[in-house]
Amino acid sequence: ERKPVSVHLRESVAAQIRAAGNAPQESRAGLERGGILWGRVRDTGENYYLISIEYAEHLPCDHTHGEGWVPSEKDRRKLAKRLKQGYGDLQCVGYWRTHQRPGLYLDTRDLDLMATLFSQPWCVALCLRPPSTAGFFLWENGDIHRTSSYQEFELPDAEQPPIVSVPANSERTNWRRWTAAAAAVVILS
């Protein structure tokens, strides 16, 4: 069965979330973190949305409700203000948070946050259980399946540089010749 949202999470953003979720904490260990997901939405009609997550913003939480990333009323006011400000030409497509507890699920406070600030049908929640296990939660017929994500996956490690092969010496020489030839053609034209 096709879900109402298809999500594309840029690898660089996924690595950014993983790094933020695993960064050393200055205060108490085990505190959850979270923030806003910014991106683009394409409404295909037929109640189906294509989401591209382009940026993840970290938003601190005062943790008045314990170790979870549960925004207090003061945090919610700041969050609502931040959502109104926007992020360039991107729009809010949901939120992310770490999940230190066993399992990967959304609790009733998450549902309340989604219903209050992320109620558009394309909005998603991304939960990360450190170090790298993640899952999306999304609106479906006015509700969210909260007991588990539809599919868990691993976020990439930001510290692993991409593998780039260096061309052999002869290939570099050929490239230089082609560049010189192209420059000559431009000059002659």
Side-chain angles (χ1 to χ4, degrees), residues 111-175:
L111 179 62
D112 179 58
L113 184 64
M114 287 289 288
T116 305
L117 296 172
F118 304 98
S119 60
Q120 297 84 354
W122 60 79
C123 281
V124 298
L126 172 64
C127 287
L128 165 65
R129 184 175 56 246
S132 62
T133 303
F136 281 106
F137 297 83
L138 50 102
W139 287 108
E140 195 169 12
N141 300 320
D143 198 9
I144 298 175
H145 176 74
R146 300 184 318 258
T147 56
S148 63
S149 71
Y150 291 101
Q151 181 177 0
E152 291 185 8
F153 57 96
E154 299 297 311
L155 295 180
D157 188 348
E159 295 182 16
Q160 291 180 334
I163 298 173
V164 178
S165 60
V166 178
N169 207 10
S170 62
E171 291 178 33
R172 283 185 278 192
T173 303
N174 287 340
W175 174 250

Side-chain angles (χ1 to χ4, degrees), residues 22-178:
N22 288 289
Q25 299 187 12
E26 295 175 10
S27 57
R28 308 186 314 240
L31 295 178
E32 293 180 350
R33 298 176 177 164
I36 303 171
L37 297 172
W38 299 99
R40 303 184 193 292
V41 178
R42 186 170 145 229
D43 183 354
T44 64
E46 305 166 11
N47 294 319
Y48 184 70
Y49 301 92
L50 299 173
I51 309 302
S52 175
I53 300 173
E54 309 284 328
Y55 182 71
E57 180 176 353
H58 176 252
L59 291 176
C61 170
D62 64 18
H63 294 282
T64 57
H65 298 290
E67 295 180 345
W69 190 78
V70 180
S72 66
E73 285 305 313
K74 181 180 174 184
D75 292 330
R76 282 179 178 241
R77 285 191 299 274
K78 288 180 186 177
L79 179 55
K81 182 179 178 181
R82 182 66 192 99
L83 291 172
K84 286 180 183 173
Q85 293 169 343
Y87 190 82
D89 65 341
L90 302 178
Q91 68 184 84
C92 173
V93 295
Y95 78 97
W96 68 273
R97 72 166 176 84
T98 57
H99 186 90
Q100 301 288 353
R101 297 156 277 169
L104 197 58
Y105 60 90
L106 297 183
D107 60 24
T108 55
R109 294 178 293 195
D110 290 307
L111 179 62
D112 179 58
L113 184 64
M114 287 289 288
T116 305
L117 296 172
F118 304 98
S119 60
Q120 297 84 354
W122 60 79
C123 281
V124 298
L126 172 64
C127 287
L128 165 65
R129 184 175 56 246
S132 62
T133 303
F136 281 106
F137 297 83
L138 50 102
W139 287 108
E140 195 169 12
N141 300 320
D143 198 9
I144 298 175
H145 176 74
R146 300 184 318 258
T147 56
S148 63
S149 71
Y150 291 101
Q151 181 177 0
E152 291 185 8
F153 57 96
E154 299 297 311
L155 295 180
D157 188 348
E159 295 182 16
Q160 291 180 334
I163 298 173
V164 178
S165 60
V166 178
N169 207 10
S170 62
E171 291 178 33
R172 283 185 278 192
T173 303
N174 287 340
W175 174 250
R176 287 186 194 123
R177 286 184 196 145
W178 279 105

